[in-house]
Amino acid sequence: MSFAVTLNGGQMEWAGDSLSTVFAQRSNLLSPSFLRMLWDVRRFNAEAVEFLARVDNASSKLTIGEFLERGGYSQSFRDLYLLPMTAAIWSTPAVGMLAFPAVTLLRFYHNHGFTNLSGRPQWLTVTNGSREYVRKVTAGLPDVRVSCAVKSVRRIDGGRSIVTDITGRQEIYDEVVFACHGDQVLALLQDPTDEERTVLGKIQYKKNVAVVHRDPSVCSFRSSLVVDTRHV
């Protein structure tokens, strides 16, 4: 997996694959703000590890925006590196990432090797795609139904639930696991508790546009996946 940024219709482009792609626009070799961004990337990686080693109750409440402000990080670091990358990872509008918990973001970076300039873990893909996950999981299950959407779930006595599918068929289960989004859970539950309404109702979603392309005019140094992180 690689990371590339293109801003303002290609006025600024760079990628992290190599020095050649970092300086895909050779004019950035003489750009103070771009060079400062690279310096701050190195500093951020080191300070992230230090922060995680001494995090306490007070610092655990710090947002990433506050972390950047306290560390005196440059605007170029924020706008050309951190916000584009985090917004793409979490599919969130870039400005919203400034309110993200610093400890959560930094721990994610560290656990995934993003704080290492070299020796980063290699990301692998599964042959034949994610369908293989499904095949492996369903092979060990006695009853798998497709094209059989659930219409509603209603609790009954004894802690059990009645599940109604789109055909109108009803079945009783001892336990139900919802493997879907929070708003979908609320739509399925016929009798959500106040706590469920409060917790699940606070989960918000953003629409994002992802474009898979081979357009040489965008990030021309390689094929890429472009994620528009603006709120749609």
Side-chain angles (χ1 to χ4, degrees):
M1 189 175 76
S2 61
F3 174 65
V5 176
T6 179
L7 297 173
N8 301 324
Q11 293 181 30
M12 167 61 70
E13 289 188 341
W14 74 279
D17 289 10
S18 65
L19 281 177
S20 178
T21 60
V22 168
F23 294 103
Q25 294 173 315
R26 298 301 189 244
S27 59
N28 286 330
L29 285 164
L30 302 176
S31 169
S33 63
F34 191 83
L35 295 176
R36 172 63 189 276
M37 181 269 290
L38 296 178
W39 170 261
D40 278 344
V41 170
R42 187 181 185 90
R43 182 165 67 94
F44 176 81
N45 292 342
E47 292 183 354
V49 176
E50 294 174 3
F51 175 83
L52 292 174
R54 54 180 172 77
V55 65
D56 54 24
N57 288 335
S59 56
S60 67
K61 297 179 175 60
L62 206 67
T63 67
I64 194 61
E66 293 168 337
F67 180 88
L68 297 180
E69 185 176 354
R70 291 188 182 187
Y73 288 91
S74 62
Q75 183 175 342
S76 58
F77 168 79
R78 186 191 72 177
D79 295 342
L80 302 182
Y81 174 74
L82 191 65
L83 292 187
M85 179 181 283
T86 54
I89 292 173
W90 278 284
S91 297
T92 302
V95 292
M97 289 307 304
L98 293 175
F100 203 85
V103 65
T104 302
L105 188 149
L106 298 179
R107 185 173 290 127
F108 178 91
Y109 265 52
H110 185 52
N111 290 343
H112 287 75
F114 292 168
T115 54
N116 303 328
L117 289 179
S118 60
R120 292 186 175 187
Q122 293 295 309
W123 292 65
L124 306 177
T125 58
V126 176
T127 302
N128 296 325
S130 58
R131 74 184 71 178
E132 293 301 303
Y133 293 135
V134 177
R135 185 179 65 81
K136 287 285 188 179
V137 171
T138 57
L141 298 177
D143 183 13
V144 178
R145 306 176 193 180
V146 297
S147 301
C148 186
V150 172
K151 184 177 180 180
S152 66
V153 177
R154 178 169 59 87
R155 295 181 177 93
I156 58 176
D157 295 339
R160 297 180 298 171
S161 299
I162 295 179
V163 177
T164 304
D165 64 28
I166 54 175
T167 69
R169 180 175 56 186
Q170 294 185 330
E171 293 184 284
I172 297 176
Y173 293 92
D174 295 325
E175 297 181 27
V176 175
V177 177
F178 290 89
C180 54
H181 298 296
D183 56 344
Q184 294 172 315
V185 176
L186 282 178
L188 291 172
L189 281 174
Q190 286 194 352
D191 51 357
T193 65
D194 291 340
E195 184 179 19
E196 288 167 343
R197 290 184 186 276
T198 299
V199 173
L200 297 174
K202 287 184 177 180
I203 301 175
Q204 300 180 358
Y205 302 92
K206 300 290 184 180
K207 290 184 178 180
N208 287 272
V209 178
V211 182
V212 181
H213 73 94
R214 296 184 64 87
D215 182 353
S217 69
V218 180
C219 298
S220 56
F221 32 83
R222 62 178 296 120
S223 300
S224 61
L225 169 65
V226 177
V227 179
D228 183 350
T229 57
R230 297 169 299 177
H231 176 53
V232 177

